[in-house]
Amino acid sequence: MTRTSETVQRKTTCNRDCPDACSIVATVQDGRVTHLSGDPEHPITQGFLCYRTSHFLNQQYAPARITTPLLRNAQTGQLEPVSWDRALSFAAEALVRIRAESGPAAIFHYRSGGTLGMVPKVVDLFFERFGPVTVKRGDICSGAGDYAQEVDFGVEDSSDVFDLYNAKSILLWGKNVWASSPHMIPILREAKRRGARLTLIDPVWHRTATLCERTIAVRPGGDFALAMAVARRLYEQGKWTANAAEFCDHLPEFLALCHAHSVDAWTTQADVTRAEVEHICDALCNAAPATILVGWGMGRRRNGVAIVRALDALGAVSGNLGIPGGGVSFYFKRRAAFDTSFCQGSAPRTVCEPLFGRDILAAQDPPIRAVWITAGNPVAMLPESHTTVQALRSRELVVVVDSWLSDTAELATLVLPCNTLLEADDVLGAYGHHYLGVARPVVPPPPGVKSDLEIIQALAERVGLSQVVAGSARDWQMKMLSPRLTEHGVTIEQLEAGPVRSPLASPVLFAAKPGSSIPSGFATASGCVQLIHDPALATAAAPPHLGPEYPLLLLSLSTEKSQSSQWPVLPTGPAILTVHPDVAAAIGRGEGDLAQLESRIAHMLVRLHLDRRQRRDVALIPKGGHLRDGCCANALVAAQLTDAGEGAALYDEPVRLRPVPESMAAASASHPA
Ligand SMILES: Nc1nc2c(c(=O)[nH]1)N[C@H]1C(S)=C(S)[C@@H](COP(=O)(O)OP(=O)(O)OC[C@H]3O[C@@H](n4cnc5c(=O)[nH]c(N)nc54)[C@H](O)[C@@H]3O)O[C@H]1N2
Ligand SMILES: Nc1nc2c(c(=O)[nH]1)N[C@H]1C(S)=C(S)[C@@H](COP(=O)(O)OP(=O)(O)OC[C@H]3O[C@@H](n4cnc5c(=O)[nH]c(N)nc54)[C@H](O)[C@@H]3O)O[C@H]1N2
Ligand SMILES: [Mo]
């Protein structure tokens, strides 16, 4: 830490829902943060920050930041500033009354990924002891991929990220590191320098293609078919690893599944060429060891589980599991270093996250009367925004804890202002590497703002649960460090001094035991990899079929400019929709023109951006646009589940473009159909 007369530099760990979990260096001048940069001493951050975090001060100091509780005035219908005492008494009285009248299941606590710090787990503990209340199940983000890897391997983790330096091939399968995990870029560049060949398999052209020697623009959702073609060709070439039967269950059935169609039929389904299939075969076997980096986007489809399971199987039969430089990496087990067993998970009822609005509206015995929202913006971020709005508007009590008036907070009965990532006191793992870090406030929150922990402690006091959630943020951090971690000598003090690689994570996942060549450590019932094998998948896992009525698939993807719905610089609407020029030409429109984007459930005004590198069956829109600005993709996306794992098929919404007269430009909001 350096110090001049009034300027200090303080470090913290970014708590955003991002794989990188960076170490931030904040320059603080007279109590105000004046600059944010990446910590040069952190092995992953490597001295730079992404666009959204380097521009975060716009958000931190935005006039729109909420610094006092807001309560809806029953007469005027407006949200009005009130004291914390009034706000908390109101919340406590309402929660206690609803619990007494309808039972705790009538209260739904929804927590999402606004912060990935561990301390807000105490909010879950409060609601468990106050109830237990209704909580969410499933996962909007990674439900399908989590399920796939857990079924196949029994463990969802990755080899060390720097093990990529041992790879000869890296397949970025549906992954845009430029947007979603920029700190992978230097690692991938170094891997390339050491001789790795990079291939991108993605229906969308994006900047990550510039890192790769080849890009395969598979049909959206065509990855299952592509994986089957590759598996079949590898078999035909005698490239399945000789010992596969020793660590894989269902090998003959998997073989039969890849033979359900000819290679040509699979490639037609996937809309790739035979040469592209051969390229992947070559990358997996001739240029092994190969790592498949499985992106998080691809699983958000109706065949998402089948796709990720097919990639797991490819990694297994091609002999790339358990070896340095090999693997099928979807997730780094970011919670492995923490013990949250103080929460028992005893909820009486669950709401399926991707079906949030519908489930709330349908809940009976008792109906859901109150929704408490921690670190989430379900209106903008969950599918079918208009259903979510309807569900929240019709509840008796909606409490939102946030720092800004999100689309969701605007509907609340009560909004409670919380701290930002620069004011957080927390401990974090990461889902893109194995380093642990602590967040320490680089500045105190503005007067009137409390942390999630302080808010829940103040509420607990009013309902007789003070003891349950008592303790400072640091006390809770110490309590949550897994005993397994402390056995390895990792302490909070050590984490405060700098990032620590979790000693619990092995450098090479599923490494063979000494003296053996068979990958090991699969936590499935049989101890073997479970190869995907249901014969019905030969047709059931086909890519979505697009008809002439709705010829495009809406892909609402991460943009480097924002973190989900948190924009440091809010774009002005209408939302930019990127399509191939032929798609615009079909309705007589061109670059910069307005058009109406229609799904089966809603429509919105968009401004067209043309990009010749895109497929003609996709329409690309930034994820996280706000509903009130008419930029929210989820207004158009129907709520539907993935094939298993209760993820959301966010990217399977068929849409079409219609011309819109320039005179209608003013009406830029999205409307239910
Ligand atoms: N700047 C920024 N960074 C973020 C976020 C953000 O909003 N902004 N969000 C964060 C969050 S919440 C998460 S979960 C992570 C991961 O965030 P994600 O947005 O899931 O990131 P990716 O893993 O890059 O996956 C997206 C890629 O999947 C591709 N894809 C979609 N469908 C298919 C398909 O059918 N087949 C194939 N092969 N590819 C497909 C898309 O074209 C895209 O390139 O990133 C985090 N990082
Ligand atoms: N159409 C479409 N929808 C998507 C996606 C997509 O790709 N396309 N991606 C999905 C994915 S991967 C994800 S993870 C979800 C993300 O969905 P959310 O987790 O709901 O996303 P955020 O916009 O990050 O909203 C979090 C809210 O938490 C607030 N917040 C930030 N820090 C804190 C804190 O410390 N405490 C509290 N109480 N609040 C805080 C923020 O201000 C913000 O309003 O969206 C999903 N929705
Ligand atoms: Mo996510």
Side-chain angles (χ1 to χ4, degrees):
M1 301 292 129
T2 53
R3 178 180 281 275
T4 63
S5 54
E6 75 274 82
T7 304
V8 285
Q9 291 200 322
R10 300 202 176 103
K11 286 187 186 179
T12 190
T13 303
C14 185
N15 68 15
R16 289 172 183 291
D17 186 341
C18 172
D20 296 358
C22 284
S23 174
I24 300 174
V25 181
T27 307
V28 182
Q29 217 169 345
D30 298 328
R32 194 179 165 93
V33 188
T34 55
H35 185 69
L36 299 176
S37 58
D39 184 353
E41 288 164 16
H42 190 287
I44 305 292
T45 308
Q46 296 193 33
F48 74 99
L49 291 179
C50 62
Y51 177 96
R52 46 207 152 132
T53 306
S54 45
H55 290 73
F56 183 71
L57 293 180
N58 287 334
Q59 249 179 304
Q60 173 79 6
Y61 294 118
R65 174 129 187 230
I66 318 164
T67 54
T68 173
L70 303 170
L71 180 63
R72 196 165 298 281
N73 179 317
Q75 265 81 51
T76 65
Q78 300 299 308
L79 282 171
E80 292 175 356
V82 291
S83 68
W84 273 103
D85 189 47
R86 168 99 178 87
L88 291 164
S89 304
F90 173 87
E93 184 279 324
L95 290 172
V96 168
R97 178 170 41 78
I98 291 169
R99 181 179 62 177
E101 291 168 1
S102 305
I107 298 164
F108 170 30
H109 176 227
Y110 173 71
R111 184 158 73 87
S112 187
T115 165
L116 292 191
M118 296 305 295
V119 172
K121 188 77 193 166
V122 183
V123 183
D124 298 356
L125 173 66
F126 168 83
F127 280 104
E128 188 167 276
R129 294 301 177 80
F130 181 78
V133 305
T134 298
V135 299
K136 75 152 198 179
R137 70 169 198 281
D139 195 83
I140 187 74
C141 171
S142 55
D146 299 337
Y147 176 90
Q149 290 232 310
E150 273 155 20
V151 169
D152 293 342
F153 303 143
V155 180
E156 193 193 14
D157 205 349
S158 295
S159 298
D160 197 277
V161 69
F162 295 109
D163 181 56
L164 285 172
Y165 294 162
N166 297 316
K168 289 279 162 280
S169 295
I170 301 173
L171 296 149
L172 292 117
W173 208 309
K175 197 171 176 84
N176 181 1
V177 292
W178 277 94
S180 63
S181 36
H183 294 84
M184 281 297 286
I185 296 170
I187 298 173
L188 291 172
R189 285 199 171 126
E190 177 60 19
K192 251 170 85 166
R193 203 189 60 77
R194 297 185 189 207
R197 294 164 52 189
L198 271 58
T199 302
L200 175 67
I201 300 150
D202 201 308
V204 176
W205 192 93
H206 46 71
R207 234 175 133 185
T208 302
T210 60
L211 291 172
C212 300
E213 90 177 33
R214 187 154 188 171
T215 296
I216 298 173
V218 61
R219 191 192 305 281
D223 307 84
F224 178 82
L226 175 55
M228 290 301 122
V230 171
R232 181 168 173 160
R233 281 298 296 143
L234 286 178
Y235 185 79
E236 288 168 1
Q237 294 164 22
K239 294 282 170 59
W240 282 24
T241 183
N243 62 12
E246 292 176 63
F247 66 93
C248 295
D249 287 340
H250 310 296
L251 201 60
E253 298 95 322
F254 176 64
L255 181 62
L257 181 57
C258 8
H259 281 79
H261 298 300
S262 66
V263 174
D264 285 341
W266 287 125
T267 54
T268 304
Q269 251 192 42
D271 196 19
V272 297
T273 63
R274 196 65 186 233
E276 288 171 326
V277 171
E278 298 305 332
H279 173 85
I280 299 175
C281 292
D282 191 52
L284 284 172
C285 287
N286 299 335
T291 296
I292 303 179
L293 296 175
V294 184
W296 290 280
M298 195 165 45
R300 299 185 195 119
R301 343 191 121 270
R302 259 169 301 177
N303 61 351
V305 170
I307 290 174
V308 179
R309 293 202 61 193
L311 301 188
D312 289 348
L314 267 191
V317 300
S318 64
N320 279 298
L321 295 185
I323 56 170
V328 186
S329 165
F330 178 72
Y331 192 77
F332 289 68
K333 216 172 166 152
R334 72 178 171 88
R335 295 190 195 85
F338 306 107
D339 179 6
T340 54
S341 58
F342 54 83
C343 274
Q344 291 170 352
S346 52
R349 174 169 65 188
T350 51
V351 162
C352 182
E353 186 174 35
L355 307 177
F356 182 98
R358 291 189 201 177
D359 270 12
I360 291 177
L361 288 165
Q364 291 301 328
D365 299 325
I368 290 172
R369 294 173 60 187
V371 186
W372 184 292
I373 296 168
T374 304
N377 184 3
V379 169
M381 297 318 298
L382 301 188
E384 235 170 272
S385 300
H386 295 290
T387 312
T388 308
V389 168
Q390 195 195 342
L392 292 178
R393 272 222 179 104
S394 49
R395 294 315 94 182
E396 216 171 303
L397 176 74
V398 176
V399 182
V400 175
V401 182
D402 208 308
S403 310
W404 296 278
L405 266 189
S406 65
D407 281 321
T408 306
E410 277 190 343
L411 299 178
T413 330
L414 179 66
V415 184
L416 301 175
C418 67
N419 58 221
T420 66
L421 65 93
L422 295 178
E423 299 147 7
D425 195 341
D426 219 324
V427 61
L428 291 116
Y431 62 94
H433 55 81
H434 286 306
Y435 285 86
L436 307 169
V438 289
R440 290 290 177 252
V442 300
V443 284
V449 167
K450 293 181 192 292
S451 69
D452 288 285
L453 179 65
E454 289 165 340
I455 292 171
I456 223 60
Q457 287 175 336
L459 182 68
E461 239 174 66
R462 286 166 169 80
V463 299
L465 289 172
S466 315
Q467 283 316 307
V468 170
V469 292
S472 68
R474 202 167 186 280
D475 292 340
W476 281 102
Q477 292 157 24
M478 290 197 294
K479 188 166 170 171
M480 281 191 235
L481 276 197
S482 154
R484 288 173 60 217
L485 204 63
T486 43
E487 275 163 25
H488 279 85
V490 178
T491 60
I492 282 287
E493 290 75 15
Q494 215 179 327
L495 293 176
E496 279 166 338
V500 174
R501 186 187 178 282
S502 171
L504 306 178
S506 46
V508 176
L509 188 68
F510 306 134
K513 297 213 172 77
S516 159
S517 60
I518 299 168
S520 70
F522 304 106
T524 55
S526 68
C528 289
V529 175
Q530 299 303 299
L531 295 179
I532 187 168
H533 64 279
D534 180 356
L537 290 169
T539 45
H545 174 74
L546 292 169
E549 215 190 335
Y550 293 98
L552 305 165
L553 270 191
L554 182 62
L555 302 194
S556 43
L557 302 174
S558 289
T559 156
E560 66 171 322
K561 304 275 188 228
S562 102
Q563 169 69 36
S564 296
S565 67
Q566 306 175 56
W567 297 77
V569 183
L570 194 64
T572 46
I576 305 293
L577 187 84
T578 303
V579 289
H580 188 279
D582 290 355
V583 173
I587 59 157
R589 291 294 180 272
E591 174 71 32
D593 286 347
L594 292 168
Q596 177 148 291
L597 178 67
E598 299 179 352
S599 75
R600 295 159 303 169
I601 62 164
H603 55 83
M604 74 194 276
L605 192 70
V606 292
R607 193 170 291 285
L608 298 177
H609 171 59
L610 308 186
D611 183 350
R612 221 160 254 299
R613 296 164 299 194
Q614 303 305 341
R615 292 177 56 94
R616 289 172 180 77
D617 55 3
V618 296
L620 313 174
I621 195 167
K623 112 179 180 191
H626 293 177
L627 187 65
R628 61 177 165 234
D629 301 332
C631 294
C632 179
N634 280 321
L636 273 66
V637 177
Q640 52 183 344
L641 294 175
T642 51
D643 37 0
E646 299 192 295
L650 291 167
Y651 304 157
D652 270 346
E653 189 62 47
V655 291
R656 65 183 171 211
L657 277 181
R658 286 278 178 267
V660 54
E662 282 288 332
S663 58
M664 279 178 61
S668 61
S670 64
H671 304 286

